[in-house]
Amino acid sequence: MFYAIVGQDVPDSLDQRLSARPAHLDRLHAMQQAGRLLLAGPFPAIDSNDPGPAGFSGSLIVAEFDSLADAQTWADADPYVAAGVYATVSVKPFKKVFPA
């Protein structure tokens, strides 16, 4: 089943985000190579694909896991959590409808 993982950044998280980004992306690349990643990306803090110093307000990952508990465990181990980028992380089951 797919699960949506939504991380909400702490204020002024850009420096922590940039520092932890390589490790964060490594985990996503591994999930993509395993065929389990549906989509992933950050929420720009402003209406721009490149928000510059405004940074990001959080991230969305939609990926396949065996259970909600497995998805939560994976989310809890995210380098952005360890680096203090995320203030909160929610994990919810996700039903993909479109595109079919």
Side-chain angles (χ1 to χ4, degrees), residues 1-38:
M1 176 168 202
F2 286 112
Y3 294 87
I5 300 169
V6 179
Q8 296 293 327
D9 284 23
V10 299
D12 301 316
S13 63
L14 187 57
D15 288 340
Q16 296 108 302
R17 199 175 245 283
L18 293 174
S19 176
R21 188 171 189 261
H24 173 78
L25 292 181
D26 284 347
R27 296 177 84 226
L28 292 172
H29 285 297
M31 187 171 288
Q32 182 180 22
Q33 289 175 345
R36 297 175 40 215
L37 184 63
L38 184 62

Side-chain angles (χ1 to χ4, degrees), residues 76-98:
D76 290 344
D78 193 299
Y80 282 175
V81 171
V85 173
Y86 292 150
T88 62
V89 178
S90 67
V91 181
K92 297 180 180 184
F94 178 82
K95 181 179 176 182
K96 180 180 177 276
V97 176
F98 291 101

Side-chain angles (χ1 to χ4, degrees), residues 16-70:
Q16 296 108 302
R17 199 175 245 283
L18 293 174
S19 176
R21 188 171 189 261
H24 173 78
L25 292 181
D26 284 347
R27 296 177 84 226
L28 292 172
H29 285 297
M31 187 171 288
Q32 182 180 22
Q33 289 175 345
R36 297 175 40 215
L37 184 63
L38 184 62
L39 64 91
F43 301 119
I46 60 173
D47 189 13
S48 173
N49 279 329
D50 182 6
F56 299 92
S57 63
S59 302
L60 169 65
I61 299 166
V62 180
E64 189 173 17
F65 293 92
D66 290 334
S67 69
L68 179 59
D70 287 347

